[in-house]
Amino acid sequence: RTVGWYREALNKFEQVYDVKVKLHDGEAHIDIVPSINNIAFVYGELGDYKQCLDLSNRAIDICTSGRGLSKETVAAYTNQGYALYNIGDCHRALASYKLGLEYLSKCGSDADLMGADLHQRMSEVYIDMGHIDDAIKSLERMIEMKKEVLGGENKELALPYRRLGECYEMTRRGTSDSIKCHTRALRIYKHHNDKEGAAKQHNKIAGILKKKGDREESMDHYMAALWHSREAKLPSTDPTVADTIKNVAAFQNSNMRGW
């Protein structure tokens, strides 16, 4: 599962499930729920959302029928929300994620990586629904949780900051907050010596500055993006490289015409 070998993982999880069913003399024991959740997750990653949803519903029925409350309930609601989201039912997906957070708080705390994952998933649903302010709140909460658990410079924070910056671009708060978020992501990529990530962030910041009309500052970032792209050995067909080269060439041509 960790390395993405989902067919192989499914086979092993189903073997574990069969052993647990025999051990507990039935399919409705609380100790079988982790296996059901693992199988549901893998089906979701394989694109079989109906099977993922059916298994998640079953896990939820077991967990909420007085057989005990644990974070497996949260995992079941997370899988359920994922399946619903991917079949296009955003409202029910959002409800599942919110129930996941509710049960997580009952387990002791919602300020952990499970809670962060749920907030990230909620932000994706909100964006698809066009509720950008709600997406921003979810992303901000997710970042807080990850910082608390992982530390402020963890690489897992780079993409959420980038996503938050993209959401700010869609609101009236606009450019300033967006650039702050993208700059934060850039700093994290550089902290981890991720040349490709840094190239993409410089390119993103350059594009925002270009729209804003800050031509010279925009070009500084495009040049930095080009340098990091070369360091990362990205091909010229890479979208970031292609966009950077196009903008650098346009800038140079305009300067030549002015001269």
Side-chain angles (χ1 to χ4, degrees):
R1 169 177 166 171
T2 304
V3 298
W5 294 4
Y6 295 120
R7 292 289 176 191
E8 293 83 351
L10 181 61
N11 177 262
K12 297 300 179 185
F13 282 136
E14 286 177 337
Q15 289 179 38
V16 173
Y17 172 82
D18 289 340
V19 171
K20 285 188 175 182
V21 169
K22 291 177 183 177
L23 180 65
H24 295 291
D25 194 27
E27 298 182 347
H29 196 282
I30 191 68
D31 288 346
I32 298 175
V33 172
S35 292
I36 299 174
N37 282 336
N38 281 324
I39 295 169
F41 174 89
V42 172
Y43 271 120
E45 293 303 304
L46 289 170
D48 191 340
Y49 304 119
K50 183 182 182 304
Q51 188 75 342
C52 175
L53 184 58
D54 289 345
L55 287 163
S56 300
N57 291 341
R58 201 166 125 223
I60 290 167
D61 286 343
I62 296 171
C63 287
T64 57
S65 297
R67 294 184 178 88
L69 181 65
S70 72
K71 288 188 177 182
E72 292 299 331
T73 314
V74 183
Y77 274 114
T78 302
N79 288 335
Q80 184 189 63
Y82 181 73
L84 289 166
Y85 174 67
N86 280 284
I87 63 175
D89 196 338
C90 287
H91 287 91
R92 288 177 63 202
L94 191 60
S96 295
Y97 292 147
K98 287 181 177 180
L99 280 168
L101 283 173
E102 182 182 323
Y103 276 96
L104 186 58
S105 66
K106 290 178 182 179
C107 292
S109 172
D110 62 352
D112 66 7
L113 291 181
M114 289 188 81
D117 179 57
L118 281 164
H119 278 293
Q120 180 173 346
R121 292 171 185 268
M122 286 170 64
S123 73
E124 293 167 1
V125 179
Y126 281 132
I127 290 169
D128 279 6
M129 295 171 70
H131 300 171
I132 305 305
D133 287 337
D134 289 322
I136 287 172
K137 289 176 184 176
S138 289
L139 285 166
E140 288 177 337
R141 184 68 183 121
M142 186 252 301
I143 289 170
E144 287 176 12
M145 289 178 175
K146 286 201 169 187
K147 285 170 69 175
E148 183 177 337
V149 177
L150 302 172
E153 296 298 323
N154 191 279
K155 194 174 179 180
E156 283 192 30
L157 286 163
L159 189 56
Y161 272 116
R162 179 184 175 91
R163 198 67 173 132
L164 183 57
E166 290 169 348
C167 284
Y168 278 134
E169 287 181 68
M170 304 177 201
T171 69
R172 292 180 181 178
R173 297 172 69 171
T175 305
S176 178
D177 286 331
S178 178
I179 289 177
K180 285 179 183 177
C181 290
H182 287 299
T183 302
R184 187 75 177 83
L186 174 62
R187 193 175 87 185
I188 292 171
Y189 281 127
K190 287 186 174 180
H191 178 78
H192 291 276
N193 199 33
D194 185 332
K195 304 294 186 183
E196 181 176 353
K200 290 179 178 179
Q201 283 308 119
H202 274 298
N203 176 269
K204 184 67 179 178
I205 295 168
I208 297 170
L209 290 168
K210 179 185 174 183
K211 289 180 183 176
K212 189 183 175 186
D214 293 343
R215 189 166 176 266
E216 298 291 336
E217 191 175 354
S218 170
M219 192 47 49
D220 288 342
H221 283 281
Y222 277 128
M223 293 301 294
L226 192 60
W227 185 85
H228 283 291
S229 296
R230 288 171 177 166
E231 287 290 301
K233 294 182 172 60
L234 296 178
S236 59
T237 53
D238 182 272
T240 297
V241 178
D243 182 72
T244 300
I245 291 173
K246 179 187 74 175
N247 280 283
V248 170
F251 179 81
Q252 291 172 340
N253 288 336
S254 66
N255 279 352
M256 289 177 67
R257 286 195 300 271
W259 180 81

